[in-house]
Amino acid sequence: MTAVAPQRVAVGVLYDAAGKILLAQRPADKPYPGYWEFPGGKIETGESAGDALRRELHEELGIEVGVLYPWLKRIYAYPSRSVELNFFRVRDWRGELHGRENQQLSWQLPERADVAPMLPPNAPILRALSLPDVMAISAAGEHIDAFWPRYRAALERGVRLIQLREKALDNNTWYDFAAMALEIARPFDALVILNGDIELAAKLGANGVQLSAAQLKNLDVRPDLPWVGASCHDAAELQRAISLGCDYALLSPVLATPTHPEAKALGWQVFAEIAAESSIPVFALGGMRPDLLGSAWQHGAHGIALLRGAWQ
């Protein structure tokens, strides 16, 4: 018996100027009436996912879309069929947005969305969207005291996703450093992730852990922490991260970086090819600067991860 290919669907995550995303309620004459979803629709034969989304957003919402940023690809099995959901983030659109099918619309913050029920395949997307676009990776080294003013300044500038990565510290100093970083970040509601140290992350109540490629290979069960990320360098490691149940991945090195001059850079094209098959958000790491965020979005990244550039 020949397997039936999933029905391909293009889905748009529309942003407004305040960073809220648009959800639409399915009309009464469609399957799952009353459920909330991201706007979009079927990809017709011979049509690209991007072209399909532009058409659907015009038909459903009366808007014209500029740049589309590819994001995630997820397969979801309904009782009657499977669908391949091709998600794009849409920050550039024009026109007077309105429900042309008389559907209800609602702008929501991803981490505080209060409309229900959500269409089943779309519910996990809200959590992924709550991840900030920029991850700041700590770079204190031996100069811990000098690092704290820059750490506080970054939080005050709006940095809300931090990975603590200090390989040179001994165990006691690392414990104290992580505890202090968590205490300082707490009033800002920032997500603080510990690199590699699952036990300490749980002990200190950190938001999660960043798994190394070696940990990713050897673990059989996802660590029991709110957020679990993975450090990946190729498509196989990214797929391993997805199968383990990781929430996001860092893919590197995208560009040449002075911290790992021996590592061969992937380049944007290879990064894009790998990220295009991911069902979890992928951050670009390696040679990143704040001004490269737009390039990262264009190549399918959720965002960028910064070392030195995050603290300047």
Side-chain angles (χ1 to χ4, degrees):
M1 182 175 178
T2 304
V4 178
Q7 183 180 76
R8 299 180 68 229
V9 175
V11 186
V13 180
L14 272 73
Y15 288 82
D16 69 3
K20 294 182 178 180
I21 49 95
L22 184 72
L23 295 171
Q25 192 172 37
R26 292 179 65 82
D29 60 347
K30 291 188 176 183
Y32 290 88
Y35 278 70
W36 291 85
E37 63 178 352
F38 296 94
K42 298 176 185 177
I43 302 172
E44 304 295 345
T45 302
E47 192 176 36
S48 72
D51 287 344
L53 185 58
R54 293 177 190 278
R55 173 181 52 77
E56 288 284 348
L57 293 182
H58 178 71
E59 293 174 359
E60 292 183 17
L61 304 174
I63 60 173
E64 302 294 334
V65 173
V67 178
L68 288 174
Y69 297 111
W71 187 45
L72 304 182
K73 181 186 291 185
R74 299 177 69 95
I75 304 293
Y76 185 84
Y78 285 97
S80 59
R81 71 186 192 283
S82 293
V83 293
E84 176 194 283
L85 299 158
N86 296 267
F87 285 89
F88 293 81
R89 292 195 291 179
V90 185
R91 302 174 184 274
D92 176 20
W93 52 272
R94 297 170 298 281
E96 186 178 344
L97 186 147
H98 59 287
R100 299 182 73 179
E101 299 174 346
N102 295 318
Q103 72 273 40
Q104 296 296 311
L105 305 174
S106 180
W107 291 100
Q108 299 276 319
L109 287 170
E111 64 274 20
R112 299 175 188 169
D114 58 6
V115 292
M118 282 291 292
L119 200 64
N122 289 329
I125 298 300
L126 288 171
R127 188 164 191 266
L129 287 169
S130 72
L131 279 172
D133 294 327
V134 175
M135 170 183 279
I137 302 176
S138 70
E142 298 177 355
H143 309 287
I144 294 175
D145 289 342
F147 175 69
W148 294 128
R150 290 183 286 144
Y151 184 78
R152 288 188 176 91
L155 288 163
E156 290 168 357
R157 288 196 305 272
V159 170
R160 291 296 180 267
L161 177 59
I162 298 169
Q163 180 192 154
L164 303 180
R165 184 183 185 276
E166 300 295 335
K167 298 294 187 180
L169 301 183
D170 62 59
N171 288 342
N172 289 336
T173 308
W174 166 235
Y175 180 100
D176 292 341
F177 177 86
M180 176 64 75
L182 285 162
E183 181 180 345
I184 294 171
R186 195 165 290 116
F188 295 91
D189 290 327
L191 298 177
V192 181
I193 310 296
L194 270 58
N195 180 278
D197 202 330
I198 300 170
E199 182 179 351
L200 186 59
K203 184 175 183 178
L204 292 178
N207 297 101
V209 67
Q210 181 74 31
L211 302 177
S212 67
Q215 288 175 306
L216 186 62
K217 180 180 180 180
N218 294 323
L219 285 172
D220 294 321
V221 179
R222 179 191 185 278
D224 185 18
L225 290 164
W227 291 95
V228 177
S231 297
C232 302
H233 307 90
D234 55 35
E237 289 181 351
L238 179 56
Q239 289 305 311
R240 172 64 181 153
I242 293 169
S243 66
L244 188 65
C246 292
D247 302 294
Y248 68 90
L250 270 58
L251 183 58
S252 69
V254 181
L255 304 178
T257 171
T259 57
H260 295 87
E262 77 288 350
K264 182 180 179 181
L266 296 169
W268 281 121
Q269 186 58 42
V270 173
F271 176 93
E273 291 169 2
I274 297 174
E277 299 303 316
S278 181
S279 59
I280 61 175
V282 179
F283 289 82
L285 172 64
M288 292 296 104
R289 307 184 307 268
D291 61 296
L292 290 175
L293 180 58
S295 295
W297 286 343
Q298 290 171 359
H299 292 88
H302 178 86
I304 57 176
L306 301 170
L307 283 158
R308 293 174 180 82
W311 314 107
Q312 296 172 354

